[in-house]
Amino acid sequence: MLDAFGERLSDLRKSRNLTMREMAKMLNIAISTYAGYESGDREPNLNVITQLAKFYGVSVDYLVLGKSGNDMSLEFDLKAALQKQQVMFDGVPLSEEDRRKVEDVLTGLFWEALRRKQDRSKE
């Protein structure tokens, strides 16, 4: 598990053009400790894993298990989700009226996008 974890960690670091030294400094750990994470010789604690996930903008599941959002079956029907009891936007609960407005806007966007797609296929 740590070998794959280390590889993901290395890939993320390199994608940001960062050195191991820079990552170790950001995490406030020794460079040898960080190098151990990437090589699979050391296992980071949950706090470090969480810091890394936040820094790279990925989930802890991705870092540890290699699972992306698609692997986690996050697909859902947006219309059905909007009809749930408690819908929030940026942590603020939406009133019933606001939920209906959001659903109306999204429905309009959906049908407009579908129409454009059909028009393009006719060309």
Side-chain angles (χ1 to χ4, degrees), residues 2 13 39 57 63 70 85 93 96-97 102-103 107 116:
L2 281 178
R13 177 181 55 78
S39 68
L63 274 180
N70 291 338
Q85 201 56 255
E96 183 64 33
E97 180 183 352
V102 169
E103 185 178 344
T107 300
R116 281 195 312 263

Side-chain angles (χ1 to χ4, degrees), residues 23-116:
M23 288 306 301
K25 185 176 180 181
M26 192 264 313
L27 294 167
N28 199 28
I29 58 175
I31 188 171
S32 59
T33 300
Y34 183 83
Y37 297 161
E38 286 195 10
S39 68
D41 294 330
R42 296 193 69 143
E43 185 174 338
N45 65 34
L46 184 56
N47 182 47
V48 170
I49 293 171
T50 303
Q51 285 180 292
L52 288 164
K54 285 181 182 178
F55 177 78
Y56 288 120
V58 298
S59 69
V60 170
D61 281 343
Y62 173 75
L63 274 180
V64 176
L65 304 172
K67 292 190 174 195
S68 67
N70 291 338
D71 294 335
M72 300 303 289
S73 299
L74 291 178
E75 292 181 15
F76 62 93
D77 185 311
L78 187 54
K79 186 173 183 176
L82 286 171
Q83 294 169 352
K84 283 188 174 181
Q85 201 56 255
Q86 186 69 17
V87 177
M88 293 190 217
F89 184 82
D90 199 23
V92 178
L94 296 179
S95 68
E96 183 64 33
E97 180 183 352
D98 290 337
R99 280 200 307 250
R100 279 194 298 270
K101 287 177 183 177
V102 169
E103 185 178 344
D104 289 346
V105 168
L106 290 173
T107 300
L109 290 171
F110 168 78
W111 289 111
E112 183 181 325
L114 186 61
R115 182 190 53 76
R116 281 195 312 263

Side-chain angles (χ1 to χ4, degrees), residues 2-13 37-40:
L2 281 178
D3 291 334
F5 169 82
E7 188 175 326
R8 280 188 293 282
L9 199 56
S10 175
D11 290 344
L12 287 166
R13 177 181 55 78
Y37 297 161
E38 286 195 10
S39 68

